[in-house]
Amino acid sequence: MSKKALILPPQMTIRTGHLLEYYNSFKTVQRYFSRASEILGIDLYKDFFSDNEELINESYIGRCGIVCITCGLVENLKIKLEDYSYISGPSLGSITAGYISGVYSFEVTLKMIVSMVECEKKVFPGNSYGNYMFYNIPQEKLLEIIDDTKELGYYVAPCMFTADNQMIITGELEGLEKMGWKVLKGGGLGVHIPYSPPAHSSMMHDVRDIFKESFMDSRQFKEPIIPNICNNTASPLFHGDQIKQSLTEQYTFPVRWTDILQMLKQDGVTHLDIIGPGKFLMKSMEFTNVSFDITSYLDINDFQLEAKSY
């Protein structure tokens, strides 16, 4: 029997009306939004699907909404975790993976996200930092441009190694903008991601420490139904304490998504089920040197086809 992995989406930029079709199409998604609203004490549907994009993307609203959609889609597919060897996802996807694999409750998932945002804003209340997605340029060249930009006195660092010719880079916005010109001259392109703190980097040590003390230290994590994967080491996580440490420490290290794909391949995984929302992970797979058989559930048509197969 071939080995499979279940892949969940990261945080993404939310636009007005974005992803509304998932809510309108699936009662499972609606139920998760209702549960989240009770836990958070807000109307998550109203806030997540509002026209206030800054509120959505710069607060816990966006992250909690994405988790609700992902969990609703997984439930709608009637997925059996026992059919998979691993569950994983970059950044926010790893938090969702912990819930789906039974490590903690849905309430703890949402409260973890709220705590993270509060800790991030406490240390980085302004908007002088940010994140850029650079693509169509080799990672090796991007690392050279990072070094050149650091020599100019700016803090910039890898946030996520997404594909062989892609990388999310975090740091001072002015430095990232200067990087953008060099990337453009090298034939690449850059897109600003509206999220302010210098994510997954050494500048997040204070955030990590506050988050650990104020939230993680008081939580007990259960053993996962199937192994999770550490974002910053690409190592399998078989125990709750390992997942707890990984979710805490990933604040200060880049997400090594390409290494995770390599690890899965080397361990004999041949098939990935990629769950939405968003098509970022699916698109990035086109630019990696590893290949899998992939089933994607990224838009409404994918779920309609699955329904016909039952």
Side-chain angles (χ1 to χ4, degrees), residues 40 42 44 47-48 55-57 59-66:
L40 298 171
I42 62 171
L44 184 60
D47 289 341
F48 185 77
L55 169 69
I56 299 168
N57 291 298
S59 72
Y60 63 81
I61 301 298
R63 298 186 217 182
C64 290
I66 292 168

Side-chain angles (χ1 to χ4, degrees), residues 40-185:
L40 298 171
I42 62 171
D43 187 338
L44 184 60
Y45 168 82
K46 179 180 178 181
D47 289 341
F48 185 77
F49 295 110
S50 74
D51 57 3
N52 189 341
E53 294 182 1
E54 182 177 356
L55 169 69
I56 299 168
N57 291 298
E58 293 288 345
S59 72
Y60 63 81
I61 301 298
R63 298 186 217 182
C64 290
I66 292 168
V67 168
C68 286
I69 293 173
T70 302
C71 293
L73 297 182
V74 170
E75 184 175 317
N76 185 78
L77 288 167
K78 299 179 173 64
I79 281 175
K80 297 179 180 178
L81 285 186
E82 293 79 4
D83 294 337
Y84 297 88
S85 298
Y86 297 99
I87 183 171
S88 185
S91 197
L92 181 64
S94 64
I95 296 173
T96 313
Y99 164 65
I100 295 295
S101 61
V103 179
Y104 37 76
S105 67
F106 185 61
E107 180 175 357
V108 168
T109 304
L110 298 186
K111 289 183 176 180
M112 185 188 308
I113 292 170
V114 172
S115 177
M116 285 178 157
V117 173
E118 290 175 347
C119 295
E120 291 158 15
K121 290 188 177 297
K122 184 177 294 185
V123 178
F124 296 99
N127 57 1
S128 60
Y129 295 92
N131 301 273
Y132 264 74
M133 171 73 175
F134 292 111
Y135 60 98
N136 203 33
I137 184 168
Q139 284 189 358
E140 294 79 7
K141 182 62 178 177
L142 280 170
L143 291 172
E144 291 178 7
I145 296 175
I146 287 175
D147 289 339
D148 292 342
T149 308
K150 285 181 176 179
E151 289 182 2
L152 296 175
Y154 297 102
Y155 179 87
V156 290
C159 170
M160 176 176 168
F161 295 90
T162 56
D164 298 339
N165 68 343
Q166 300 173 7
M167 192 187 302
I168 298 176
I169 298 175
T170 192
E172 295 176 276
L173 275 177
E174 187 175 344
L176 292 170
E177 290 163 359
K178 289 186 178 297
M179 275 194 68
W181 287 107
K182 290 188 176 182
V183 169
L184 186 62
K185 290 178 181 178

Side-chain angles (χ1 to χ4, degrees), residues 183-199:
V183 169
L184 186 62
K185 290 178 181 178
L189 296 168
V191 177
H192 178 231
I193 301 173
Y195 170 74
S196 296

